[in-house]
Amino acid sequence: METLQEEIKGSLAGNAMAQRMLYRRLAGKMLLVCMRYMKNKTEAEDVLQEGFMLVFQKLDQYNGSGSFEGWIRKIMVNKSLEHLRKSVYLYPMKDLSGINDYAISTEDVFGNIASKDLLRMIQELPPAYRTIFNLYVFEGLKHKEIAEMLGISEGTSKSNLSDARKLLKKRIQPVTKQSLVVNG
Amino acid sequence: MDKKRINIGESGIDQVFRDGLDHFEVEPSDSFWSRSESFITNQENARIRKRLVKWQVIAGATFVLAVATTSFILYTGMLSEPAPKQDMAINYPAEPKVLSMPEAGLTPEVQLPTVDTDQKQMGGLVSKIILNHPQPKMADLQEHLNLPNKVSVNKNRSKEEIVENESINESEVLAEAIQPYSRVYSEKQEETAEVQPLIGVDNDSATTSESIVNEMPFEIVQEEVAEKPLDGDQQVRVTSRWYVSGKFSPLLSGVLRSDNKQNVDFSEDDLGDDGEDNIGYQAGAQVGYEITDKWSLQTGLFFKTSTLSLLPKTLYAQPGLGGEPVYSLVTSLGTVHIAADASTPIGDSLIVLSNSNQKLGFIVIPFELKYVMLSKRLEIYSFAGATVNYLIKSATQVHLDDEEFEDGSRSESFKTIEGVRKMHIGYNFGLGVSIKVSKHLGVLTEPSYSGSFSSINKNSPFQSRLHAWGLALGAIYHF
């Protein structure tokens, strides 16, 4: 298998090798998407697994007009939201004050570790903040769309986004200072 | 990420995260890859099974069709009228064996007519011998016709088709031999008009057809008329209006789901799709009464299984009624509670693998109206009606995957599916074809579709209606 198109075509035909290649190609990127929504990697992998199952079941519905990666990404986001909806009562939204100060590594702040830390910051947000921040910043949705999707008011969406930003800024400030020292 | 970006403002935080996570990937764990491999393998196996099932259904349907067609052809062949005279002539050898007088056992004083070219196909020579021989000998016939010692004669069959049979007597052989002529002879006698040459004679023969006929020393054997059923309303009823039938039908079942509008917190979409390899069966007996020649009422008693395969699904431990951790598997049929170890943290997850399934067993009582569209030896009919379905057993077989298990997985069976109704009302309709193999007995095949008027779930955020395609095979007996 050489190209994405060939892998899609092979997967549609039920070729197990093509499905494996598609997994390999997209698992890393999609796991990041899921991890932004879920609180840990284990949960994110569960969602990713179910997302891929759905991808293979619905693959014939991909019309090829848009980005395949974008199409899968939407599926992963929807799966993540589905899991969040189910587990909200299991994981009551944490109080803002209950979150511990976030200790971030000063090593290689411009490389992958920094990216991992950024990811962890997002994961540490309360579910509602995390969800709205992700939908707004990474999926590019408007507050109206977010409100409709989550069944909340636009005001709540804006308010939660603002709180999420404040929280993230508060956590990232120490890193900024540390990195300035390191690079200064 | 550079210093400028790190030195962010209030709204610049969005860009920091976008840039920081752009092109970033996370390598899945080894357990994820092993589960993925398991999923792909299961998918492949399911595809193979599905393909096999499809071909099995096609092969089964083809077999049924072939059996039905063959039975029909054989049956209609057995009951068909004797072939017309000219057809029968074709069955005779095109070139009759010409016997010399001594060969035919004839005395010199008996004139042996020769065979006219036009009459050869009537097997005339054989008959002529008989006609002109005052006392034909069976031995002569056997010898010259190459008949076996024991033969049976069917007037519809050619010489070559005469087969060995113990019920032989001379009169049958003779009747066979003279039959083409005897019938014409009878007709001609009734007409009493100018007698046309029955058997050709050559110019040298002194024996005319008329004289041959007049000299026939044999009793004319009347042709037997095969029983021929009359069409439609003219058909004479030979059986009672009551009938019984036994049927077996493989079922391809499934569930049609819809949201319960009264519950907005849960969507049936949240369940995900059900599996596709849902093979069940239905077997039982029916009794019917023909109200008219076209319409019948029928009821019966059946046992039916509905199978639903479950696609892989992640389950999360939730607090049970007593606060203990349980895994709740919500399916289209209902909820199955799977006990977890007391130490399992709430929110911990495990996977239900794809070889999990649920089975429901029902006693089904149908009330159907049957309409006969074609009523001959081959009967074509349609039927439709309501069914009452009593749940008598349920089972869920799950295959759980968890790294904490000794072998990485375990299989469990549960008899209780929470939320399934004990009874639901359904419907059933289809087409049927039956072929009589005797006056009372017939075989049948019926493609049908059954569904549910009411949901099989109660107190559920979604409604599920069972449906199934079936192809019944069975027998029907008219009293």
Side-chain angles (χ1 to χ4, degrees):
Chain A
M1 296 293 166
E2 292 180 355
T3 68
L4 177 63
Q5 287 305 319
E6 285 175 332
E7 288 167 11
I8 295 171
K9 197 176 173 183
S11 298
L12 264 172
N15 184 324
M17 182 57 71
Q19 291 181 343
R20 288 187 187 95
M21 296 298 288
L22 210 53
Y23 254 103
R24 292 279 171 193
R25 180 188 289 271
L26 296 168
K29 289 179 185 174
M30 295 306 134
L31 182 55
L32 173 64
V33 174
C34 297
M35 284 184 72
R36 281 198 280 102
Y37 286 87
M38 311 313 293
K39 73 181 176 68
N40 58 44
K41 189 175 180 181
T42 306
E43 272 192 22
E45 285 186 341
D46 287 344
V47 174
L48 181 67
Q49 186 75 61
E50 290 190 18
F52 266 114
M53 291 173 195
L54 196 60
V55 165
F56 289 124
Q57 285 168 26
K58 309 286 184 186
L59 198 54
D60 57 338
Q61 295 178 13
Y62 172 63
N63 55 21
S65 60
S67 155
F68 182 68
E69 194 175 314
W71 182 73
I72 289 191
R73 186 193 181 95
K74 279 183 185 174
I75 289 177
M76 297 301 170
V77 170
N78 286 334
K79 271 287 168 194
S80 300
L81 293 178
E82 183 183 308
H83 273 256
L84 282 169
R85 273 202 298 269
K86 286 179 185 173
S87 57
V88 159
Y89 67 97
L90 294 176
Y91 307 105
M93 185 188 290
K94 292 177 182 174
D95 187 75
L96 203 62
S97 59
I99 301 171
N100 298 327
D101 288 339
Y102 194 78
I104 197 164
S105 166
T106 56
E107 297 176 12
D108 194 7
V109 73
F110 306 112
N112 272 353
I113 294 180
S115 296
K116 286 179 184 174
D117 290 337
L118 289 172
L119 178 60
R120 285 181 59 192
M121 287 181 196
I122 294 174
Q123 287 181 308
E124 283 293 321
L125 288 173
Y129 294 173
R130 185 168 70 227
T131 304
I132 291 168
F133 183 78
N134 273 313
L135 291 174
Y136 187 88
V137 174
F138 293 99
E139 317 311 335
L141 298 184
K142 306 295 180 194
H143 284 296
K144 187 180 179 184
E145 294 169 314
I146 295 170
E148 287 175 357
M149 183 179 280
L150 301 181
I152 58 176
S153 69
E154 278 188 63
T156 303
S157 177
K158 288 176 184 173
S159 164
N160 283 0
L161 177 65
S162 175
D163 289 344
R165 281 172 173 161
K166 286 177 187 171
L167 207 59
L168 290 170
K169 187 181 175 187
K170 183 181 173 185
R171 289 171 177 176
I172 210 167
Q173 286 300 337
V175 181
T176 309
K177 291 171 185 173
Q178 288 168 348
S179 63
L180 286 174
V181 171
V182 170
N183 294 281
Chain B
M1 195 183 301
D2 55 22
K3 294 175 187 176
K4 187 180 177 184
R5 281 181 183 163
I6 289 175
N7 192 14
I8 53 175
E10 180 73 22
S11 59
I13 192 95
D14 297 358
Q15 198 60 40
V16 169
F17 280 88
R18 275 197 208 103
D19 291 345
L21 295 177
D22 192 25
H23 302 302
F24 180 59
E25 294 185 15
V26 181
E27 179 60 25
S29 64
D30 291 342
S31 67
F32 171 82
W33 290 121
S34 67
R35 282 187 310 184
S36 302
E37 186 57 38
S38 168
F39 166 70
I40 290 173
T41 306
N42 284 334
Q43 286 275 95
E44 196 167 24
N45 291 339
R47 252 194 311 275
I48 292 169
R49 280 199 306 273
K50 189 178 174 184
R51 207 174 300 150
L52 274 176
V53 166
K54 190 172 81 176
W55 281 110
Q56 283 169 350
V57 169
I58 291 172
T62 307
F63 175 75
V64 168
L65 196 63
V67 169
T69 307
T70 307
S71 304
F72 177 68
I73 291 170
L74 288 176
Y75 182 66
T76 51
M78 283 191 292
L79 290 188
S80 62
E81 282 189 84
K85 189 167 60 180
Q86 56 270 32
D87 290 339
M88 183 164 56
I90 294 170
N91 288 332
Y92 279 78
E95 293 294 336
K97 189 175 182 179
V98 179
L99 306 176
S100 66
M101 290 175 65
E103 283 176 337
L106 299 175
T107 56
E109 55 270 20
V110 176
Q111 183 71 41
L112 178 66
T114 56
V115 178
D116 183 86
T117 307
D118 294 334
Q119 294 295 328
K120 281 182 179 177
Q121 293 201 346
M122 295 295 286
L125 183 60
V126 174
S127 290
K128 284 176 195 172
I129 293 171
I130 296 167
L131 290 172
N132 288 280
H133 198 295
Q135 289 182 334
K137 296 175 181 176
M138 188 63 198
D140 294 332
L141 286 170
Q142 287 175 341
E143 178 186 350
H144 297 301
L145 296 178
N146 293 321
L147 297 177
N149 288 332
K150 291 186 174 182
V151 297
S152 74
V153 177
N154 185 316
K155 55 183 174 296
N156 295 325
R157 295 184 181 173
S158 67
K159 183 179 70 179
E160 287 80 0
E161 291 175 307
I162 294 173
V163 294
E164 199 167 344
N165 190 294
E166 293 181 0
S167 60
I168 176 65
N169 60 54
E170 287 188 19
S171 64
E172 284 183 346
V173 176
L174 299 180
E176 161 69 9
I178 68 169
Q179 194 257 339
Y181 299 95
S182 63
R183 183 164 56 189
V184 179
Y185 173 61
S186 302
E187 291 168 0
K188 293 303 176 186
Q189 275 196 324
E190 287 174 7
E191 289 174 6
T192 61
E194 187 177 324
V195 177
Q196 297 298 319
L198 273 176
I199 306 168
V201 293
D202 66 6
N203 295 332
D204 299 331
S205 175
T207 307
T208 64
S209 302
E210 186 177 6
S211 65
I212 291 171
V213 169
N214 289 336
E215 291 170 7
M216 281 179 66
F218 305 107
E219 180 184 359
I220 295 173
V221 177
Q222 294 298 316
E223 181 183 355
E224 290 181 16
V225 178
E227 182 182 352
K228 179 187 177 188
L230 301 173
D231 292 342
D233 296 336
Q234 293 179 322
Q235 188 164 3
V236 179
R237 175 177 293 282
V238 293
T239 57
S240 159
R241 290 186 178 275
W242 288 96
Y243 61 87
V244 292
S245 60
K247 300 173 190 173
F248 174 82
S249 174
L251 299 175
L252 187 60
S253 53
V255 174
L256 298 174
R257 288 197 319 243
S258 59
D259 276 331
N260 184 346
K261 302 298 180 191
Q262 296 175 344
N263 191 323
V264 295
D265 296 333
F266 192 91
S267 164
E268 63 94 12
D269 285 338
D270 295 335
L271 280 176
D273 292 336
D274 294 320
E276 294 179 343
D277 302 324
N278 305 317
I279 306 295
Y281 70 89
Q282 177 171 293
Q286 271 189 318
V287 57
Y289 180 77
E290 295 174 4
I291 306 167
T292 69
D293 288 338
K294 297 281 187 187
W295 293 94
S296 304
L297 279 173
Q298 54 189 30
T299 183
L301 191 66
F302 288 89
F303 177 70
K304 171 184 173 181
T305 62
S306 293
T307 307
L308 185 71
S309 60
L310 304 175
L311 291 177
K313 196 169 189 175
T314 304
L315 300 182
Y316 291 90
Q318 301 175 28
L321 291 175
E324 75 286 0
V326 295
Y327 294 103
S328 294
L329 171 61
V330 183
T331 72
S332 298
L333 303 182
T335 304
V336 179
H337 296 295
I338 302 168
D341 292 337
S343 59
T344 302
I346 298 298
D348 193 19
S349 64
L350 80 167
I351 297 284
V352 179
L353 294 183
S354 60
N355 54 355
S356 303
N357 63 65
Q358 291 182 300
K359 285 182 182 173
L360 298 180
F362 295 97
I363 290 291
V364 181
I365 301 175
F367 299 95
E368 293 171 347
L369 199 57
K370 174 180 169 184
Y371 177 74
V372 177
M373 294 178 281
L374 177 66
S375 178
K376 291 190 174 178
R377 296 180 195 91
L378 178 77
E379 187 176 88
I380 300 175
Y381 54 91
S382 60
F383 58 92
T387 58
V388 181
N389 303 265
Y390 295 97
L391 181 71
I392 57 170
K393 73 169 190 178
S394 62
T396 303
Q397 182 73 37
V398 294
H399 192 82
L400 306 172
D401 182 27
D402 192 313
E403 292 171 353
E404 293 180 2
F405 297 148
E406 284 185 8
D407 300 325
S409 65
R410 74 179 188 214
S411 293
E412 287 193 40
S413 184
F414 301 91
K415 291 184 177 178
T416 303
I417 302 175
E418 186 181 279
V420 186
R421 289 182 192 278
K422 279 289 181 188
M423 188 195 84
H424 71 273
I425 305 296
Y427 56 88
N428 183 35
F429 61 85
L431 290 173
V433 176
S434 72
I435 302 167
K436 290 178 183 171
V437 294
S438 73
K439 190 182 291 181
H440 294 280
L441 190 65
V443 293
L444 60 82
T445 179
E446 293 176 351
S448 67
Y449 178 82
S450 59
S452 307
F453 285 123
S454 56
S455 171
I456 60 166
N457 312 108
K458 59 183 178 184
N459 305 323
S460 170
F462 51 88
Q463 297 183 328
S464 296
R465 291 176 173 80
L466 289 172
H467 70 110
W469 291 97
L471 180 65
L473 300 174
I476 183 168
Y477 184 86
H478 286 266
F479 292 101

PDB file of all heavy atoms in Angstrom, chain A residues 125-138:
ATOM      1  N   LEU A 125      -7.910  20.229  32.546  1.00  0.00           N
ATOM      2  CA  LEU A 125      -9.063  21.133  32.669  1.00  0.00           C
ATOM      3  C   LEU A 125     -10.303  20.331  33.041  1.00  0.00           C
ATOM      4  O   LEU A 125     -10.420  19.151  32.690  1.00  0.00           O
ATOM      5  CB  LEU A 125      -9.315  21.835  31.329  1.00  0.00           C
ATOM      6  CG  LEU A 125      -8.316  22.908  30.894  1.00  0.00           C
ATOM      7  CD1 LEU A 125      -8.651  23.363  29.462  1.00  0.00           C
ATOM      8  CD2 LEU A 125      -8.359  24.104  31.836  1.00  0.00           C
ATOM      9  N   PRO A 126     -11.231  20.940  33.733  1.00  0.00           N
ATOM     10  CA  PRO A 126     -12.514  20.274  33.986  1.00  0.00           C
ATOM     11  C   PRO A 126     -13.165  19.911  32.643  1.00  0.00           C
ATOM     12  O   PRO A 126     -12.951  20.601  31.644  1.00  0.00           O
ATOM     13  CB  PRO A 126     -13.334  21.337  34.722  1.00  0.00           C
ATOM     14  CG  PRO A 126     -12.320  22.257  35.303  1.00  0.00           C
ATOM     15  CD  PRO A 126     -11.170  22.268  34.351  1.00  0.00           C
ATOM     16  N   PRO A 127     -13.948  18.847  32.633  1.00  0.00           N
ATOM     17  CA  PRO A 127     -14.488  18.348  31.363  1.00  0.00           C
ATOM     18  C   PRO A 127     -15.181  19.411  30.522  1.00  0.00           C
ATOM     19  O   PRO A 127     -14.972  19.479  29.310  1.00  0.00           O
ATOM     20  CB  PRO A 127     -15.470  17.267  31.812  1.00  0.00           C
ATOM     21  CG  PRO A 127     -14.957  16.805  33.121  1.00  0.00           C
ATOM     22  CD  PRO A 127     -14.336  18.011  33.763  1.00  0.00           C
ATOM     23  N   ALA A 128     -16.017  20.225  31.142  1.00  0.00           N
ATOM     24  CA  ALA A 128     -16.772  21.208  30.367  1.00  0.00           C
ATOM     25  C   ALA A 128     -15.831  22.235  29.748  1.00  0.00           C
ATOM     26  O   ALA A 128     -15.954  22.586  28.561  1.00  0.00           O
ATOM     27  CB  ALA A 128     -17.798  21.896  31.255  1.00  0.00           C
ATOM     28  N   TYR A 129     -14.862  22.720  30.524  1.00  0.00           N
ATOM     29  CA  TYR A 129     -13.900  23.690  29.999  1.00  0.00           C
ATOM     30  C   TYR A 129     -13.081  23.067  28.874  1.00  0.00           C
ATOM     31  O   TYR A 129     -12.832  23.681  27.839  1.00  0.00           O
ATOM     32  CB  TYR A 129     -12.942  24.156  31.105  1.00  0.00           C
ATOM     33  CG  TYR A 129     -13.595  24.960  32.219  1.00  0.00           C
ATOM     34  CD1 TYR A 129     -12.861  25.312  33.353  1.00  0.00           C
ATOM     35  CD2 TYR A 129     -14.919  25.375  32.135  1.00  0.00           C
ATOM     36  CE1 TYR A 129     -13.425  26.044  34.383  1.00  0.00           C
ATOM     37  CE2 TYR A 129     -15.498  26.103  33.163  1.00  0.00           C
ATOM     38  CZ  TYR A 129     -14.755  26.421  34.279  1.00  0.00           C
ATOM     39  OH  TYR A 129     -15.318  27.133  35.287  1.00  0.00           O
ATOM     40  N   ARG A 130     -12.658  21.865  29.153  1.00  0.00           N
ATOM     41  CA  ARG A 130     -11.807  21.168  28.181  1.00  0.00           C
ATOM     42  C   ARG A 130     -12.541  20.978  26.857  1.00  0.00           C
ATOM     43  O   ARG A 130     -12.002  21.225  25.777  1.00  0.00           O
ATOM     44  CB  ARG A 130     -11.439  19.794  28.758  1.00  0.00           C
ATOM     45  CG  ARG A 130     -10.473  19.005  27.927  1.00  0.00           C
ATOM     46  CD  ARG A 130      -9.962  17.826  28.720  1.00  0.00           C
ATOM     47  NE  ARG A 130     -10.979  16.802  28.929  1.00  0.00           N
ATOM     48  CZ  ARG A 130     -11.233  16.217  30.090  1.00  0.00           C
ATOM     49  NH1 ARG A 130     -10.572  16.563  31.171  1.00  0.00           N
ATOM     50  NH2 ARG A 130     -12.143  15.288  30.191  1.00  0.00           N
ATOM     51  N   THR A 131     -13.800  20.584  26.978  1.00  0.00           N
ATOM     52  CA  THR A 131     -14.586  20.322  25.764  1.00  0.00           C
ATOM     53  C   THR A 131     -14.786  21.605  24.965  1.00  0.00           C
ATOM     54  O   THR A 131     -14.568  21.642  23.743  1.00  0.00           O
ATOM     55  CB  THR A 131     -15.960  19.732  26.148  1.00  0.00           C
ATOM     56  OG1 THR A 131     -15.745  18.564  26.944  1.00  0.00           O
ATOM     57  CG2 THR A 131     -16.762  19.370  24.923  1.00  0.00           C
ATOM     58  N   ILE A 132     -15.163  22.644  25.650  1.00  0.00           N
ATOM     59  CA  ILE A 132     -15.443  23.900  24.940  1.00  0.00           C
ATOM     60  C   ILE A 132     -14.157  24.503  24.374  1.00  0.00           C
ATOM     61  O   ILE A 132     -14.136  25.001  23.237  1.00  0.00           O
ATOM     62  CB  ILE A 132     -16.172  24.882  25.888  1.00  0.00           C
ATOM     63  CG1 ILE A 132     -17.578  24.338  26.175  1.00  0.00           C
ATOM     64  CG2 ILE A 132     -16.239  26.281  25.289  1.00  0.00           C
ATOM     65  CD1 ILE A 132     -18.301  25.027  27.296  1.00  0.00           C
ATOM     66  N   PHE A 133     -13.097  24.430  25.131  1.00  0.00           N
ATOM     67  CA  PHE A 133     -11.821  24.947  24.637  1.00  0.00           C
ATOM     68  C   PHE A 133     -11.396  24.197  23.363  1.00  0.00           C
ATOM     69  O   PHE A 133     -10.974  24.791  22.371  1.00  0.00           O
ATOM     70  CB  PHE A 133     -10.744  24.794  25.721  1.00  0.00           C
ATOM     71  CG  PHE A 133      -9.404  25.364  25.335  1.00  0.00           C
ATOM     72  CD1 PHE A 133      -9.172  26.738  25.376  1.00  0.00           C
ATOM     73  CD2 PHE A 133      -8.372  24.529  24.913  1.00  0.00           C
ATOM     74  CE1 PHE A 133      -7.932  27.259  25.012  1.00  0.00           C
ATOM     75  CE2 PHE A 133      -7.136  25.045  24.550  1.00  0.00           C
ATOM     76  CZ  PHE A 133      -6.911  26.414  24.601  1.00  0.00           C
ATOM     77  N   ASN A 134     -11.525  22.896  23.402  1.00  0.00           N
ATOM     78  CA  ASN A 134     -11.167  22.084  22.229  1.00  0.00           C
ATOM     79  C   ASN A 134     -12.026  22.417  21.021  1.00  0.00           C
ATOM     80  O   ASN A 134     -11.527  22.568  19.904  1.00  0.00           O
ATOM     81  CB  ASN A 134     -11.313  20.596  22.557  1.00  0.00           C
ATOM     82  CG  ASN A 134     -10.056  20.020  23.184  1.00  0.00           C
ATOM     83  OD1 ASN A 134      -8.957  20.261  22.689  1.00  0.00           O
ATOM     84  ND2 ASN A 134     -10.205  19.284  24.261  1.00  0.00           N
ATOM     85  N   LEU A 135     -13.321  22.479  21.255  1.00  0.00           N
ATOM     86  CA  LEU A 135     -14.232  22.723  20.135  1.00  0.00           C
ATOM     87  C   LEU A 135     -13.987  24.100  19.522  1.00  0.00           C
ATOM     88  O   LEU A 135     -14.032  24.282  18.305  1.00  0.00           O
ATOM     89  CB  LEU A 135     -15.691  22.605  20.598  1.00  0.00           C
ATOM     90  CG  LEU A 135     -16.165  21.194  20.976  1.00  0.00           C
ATOM     91  CD1 LEU A 135     -17.576  21.227  21.552  1.00  0.00           C
ATOM     92  CD2 LEU A 135     -16.112  20.263  19.765  1.00  0.00           C
ATOM     93  N   TYR A 136     -13.696  25.060  20.362  1.00  0.00           N
ATOM     94  CA  TYR A 136     -13.513  26.430  19.878  1.00  0.00           C
ATOM     95  C   TYR A 136     -12.138  26.607  19.221  1.00  0.00           C
ATOM     96  O   TYR A 136     -12.019  27.104  18.111  1.00  0.00           O
ATOM     97  CB  TYR A 136     -13.677  27.416  21.037  1.00  0.00           C
ATOM     98  CG  TYR A 136     -13.678  28.867  20.591  1.00  0.00           C
ATOM     99  CD1 TYR A 136     -14.868  29.490  20.201  1.00  0.00           C
ATOM    100  CD2 TYR A 136     -12.503  29.612  20.562  1.00  0.00           C
ATOM    101  CE1 TYR A 136     -14.875  30.804  19.780  1.00  0.00           C
ATOM    102  CE2 TYR A 136     -12.493  30.924  20.141  1.00  0.00           C
ATOM    103  CZ  TYR A 136     -13.687  31.521  19.754  1.00  0.00           C
ATOM    104  OH  TYR A 136     -13.676  32.820  19.322  1.00  0.00           O
ATOM    105  N   VAL A 137     -11.123  26.160  19.906  1.00  0.00           N
ATOM    106  CA  VAL A 137      -9.754  26.438  19.454  1.00  0.00           C
ATOM    107  C   VAL A 137      -9.295  25.474  18.353  1.00  0.00           C
ATOM    108  O   VAL A 137      -8.732  25.889  17.355  1.00  0.00           O
ATOM    109  CB  VAL A 137      -8.779  26.364  20.653  1.00  0.00           C
ATOM    110  CG1 VAL A 137      -7.333  26.509  20.184  1.00  0.00           C
ATOM    111  CG2 VAL A 137      -9.122  27.442  21.665  1.00  0.00           C
ATOM    112  N   PHE A 138      -9.582  24.200  18.539  1.00  0.00           N
ATOM    113  CA  PHE A 138      -9.034  23.213  17.595  1.00  0.00           C
ATOM    114  C   PHE A 138     -10.010  22.831  16.483  1.00  0.00           C
ATOM    115  O   PHE A 138      -9.590  22.536  15.379  1.00  0.00           O
ATOM    116  CB  PHE A 138      -8.588  21.960  18.347  1.00  0.00           C
ATOM    117  CG  PHE A 138      -7.410  22.200  19.244  1.00  0.00           C
ATOM    118  CD1 PHE A 138      -7.581  22.398  20.603  1.00  0.00           C
ATOM    119  CD2 PHE A 138      -6.132  22.265  18.710  1.00  0.00           C
ATOM    120  CE1 PHE A 138      -6.491  22.633  21.428  1.00  0.00           C
ATOM    121  CE2 PHE A 138      -5.032  22.499  19.536  1.00  0.00           C
ATOM    122  CZ  PHE A 138      -5.213  22.693  20.899  1.00  0.00           C
TER     123      PHE A 138
END
